[in-house]
Amino acid sequence: MFCPQCGKEYEQKVNFCCHCGTAMFTPARAERKPLTLSKKDKKIAGVCGGFAEYLDMDPTLVRVLWVAAAVFGGWGLIAYLIAWIVMPAASPAAEAPKAAHSSAVQAAPTP
């Protein structure tokens, strides 16, 4: 593998050239889910569930962190209300494939 900028040769695959800093290849971008209110992990408005789905975290951990921010930081309740107003609701089309998959799994006969 050669650096396209300075011509340095590498035996192993590297992300960046150690001499000039040029990117050796462009990594594929993962498609990110939009930040929306959750319909499946909803306790009050779905804000914490939506953040958990967006960040790929456990919703309970997000709720605990949000309550800690509300109690110790003082801004958690205001931020929750703003997020509730600003975040769009999840589209039914985004939830439909998951629901169809889970119903297909549940409908499978048991041996």
Side-chain angles (χ1 to χ4, degrees), residues 15 22 28-30 32-33 37 54 60-61 64 66 79 85-86 95-96 102 104-107:
N15 293 334
T22 302
R29 291 186 177 212
R32 201 97 172 146
K33 182 180 178 188
L37 295 173
Y54 181 74
T60 305
L61 179 64
V64 168
W66 208 288
I85 294 168
V86 172
E95 297 291 327
S102 63
V105 171
Q106 292 173 356

Side-chain angles (χ1 to χ4, degrees), residues 45-57:
V47 172
C48 292
F51 274 106
E53 290 173 7
Y54 181 74
L55 299 172
D56 196 27
M57 293 176 62

Side-chain angles (χ1 to χ4, degrees), residues 71-97:
V71 172
F72 297 115
W75 57 267
L77 182 62
I78 295 169
Y80 190 91
L81 293 173
I82 291 171
W84 189 355
I85 294 168
V86 172
M87 288 173 62
S91 64
E95 297 291 327

Side-chain angles (χ1 to χ4, degrees), residues 14-76:
V14 293
N15 293 334
F16 296 96
C17 177
C18 65
H19 292 288
C20 65
T22 302
M24 300 296 278
F25 70 96
T26 306
R29 291 186 177 212
E31 190 172 321
R32 201 97 172 146
K33 182 180 178 188
L35 179 61
T36 59
L37 295 173
S38 177
K39 292 193 180 216
K40 65 178 184 173
D41 290 322
K42 183 176 180 179
K43 296 294 181 191
I44 297 174
V47 172
C48 292
F51 274 106
E53 290 173 7
Y54 181 74
L55 299 172
D56 196 27
M57 293 176 62
D58 183 37
T60 305
L61 179 64
V62 174
R63 289 182 185 105
V64 168
L65 292 174
W66 208 288
V67 168
V71 172
F72 297 115
W75 57 267

